[in-house]
Amino acid sequence: MTHKPVIAIDGPAGAGKGTLARRLAEHFGLPHLDTGLLYRAVGLKAERTGRSPVEIAGCLDPSDLADPDLRTDVAGQAASKVAAIPEVRATLLDFQRKFAAQATGAVLDGRDVGTVICPHAPVKLFVTASAEARAERRYRELRAKGVDTIKPRVLAEMAERDRRDSERAAAPLKAAPDAYHLDTSDMDADAAFAAALAFMESKGFRFSGP
Ligand code: C5P
């Protein structure tokens, strides 16, 4: 079976979906969009300027997406607040759909890629891991960056963001009914990549290219 190569990857924070998305994009030579960056850029700019998140979402520019502070937990929390606003989501939808529709195909990761952005993607992965495993990874990442934090705090912030993302009315975090669930609690990045490829092969996915 050949398909236009669109791979939709969703899941909660720290489950490893970003790393997996980058690996798959590199493997198949596809462009990759980390959709969380869009919400982080809107959230951070809204906090810094006090301007309306909807207005900011309508005029994001590439420099907004290059801000090194986008990877911080402050930006993550700000993102999950603006991500609950339906008008912000609607404004960002078009860009994400166009990215997915390019002739090359694409890999997108986020919270609603398989459910809302690309409901017809031939490959949908829902990447999860236990809260402890996710918090442990995030904690190590922060410590490696020199951020002074403690694990219970990372766990609490993650739980708060998970709750907000799962309980919101607009495009909540949830698996598409046809998504393949990949629990990475006991996997490293190589094992998660191998499991995703094995799933795709078992389903006979053959990407034909543009
Ligand atoms: O994936 P990342 O942690 O960078 O996402 C930051 C926040 O952006 C998430 O917690 C979520 O609230 C929001 N988001 C979203 N829909 C997406 C991607 C991210 O609501 N497709």
Side-chain angles (χ1 to χ4, degrees), residues 17 35-36 39-40 79-80 83 89 110-112 161 165 168:
K17 64 184 184 313
T35 64
Y39 292 93
R40 284 172 181 263
S80 86
R89 305 199 72 82
R111 301 292 185 292
D112 63 343
R161 191 141 71 93
D165 289 348
R168 69 182 179 220

Side-chain angles (χ1 to χ4, degrees), residues 71-168:
R71 297 287 176 195
T72 62
D73 280 353
V74 170
Q77 293 290 351
S80 86
K81 289 178 195 156
V82 298
I85 305 170
E87 293 83 359
V88 168
R89 305 199 72 82
T91 307
L92 296 176
L93 185 70
D94 200 40
F95 173 77
Q96 295 173 82
R97 287 225 170 117
K98 282 196 180 125
F99 190 95
Q102 50 194 313
T104 49
V107 180
L108 291 88
D109 72 276
R111 301 292 185 292
D112 63 343
V113 180
T115 50
V116 176
I117 311 290
C118 308
H120 303 299
V123 177
K124 296 181 189 175
L125 305 173
F126 193 75
V127 184
T128 56
S130 68
E132 290 70 24
R134 296 189 290 119
E136 173 69 32
R137 280 177 203 156
R138 185 68 189 137
Y139 172 71
R140 279 205 231 124
E141 227 174 82
L142 289 170
R143 294 298 298 225
K145 278 192 211 155
V147 179
D148 185 22
T149 188
I150 52 169
K151 226 183 294 173
R153 181 164 158 208
V154 175
L155 190 61
E157 284 185 357
M158 207 167 241
E160 186 191 341
R161 191 141 71 93
D162 282 353
R163 188 190 46 71
R164 211 184 284 126
D165 289 348
S166 307
E167 291 179 1
R168 69 182 179 220

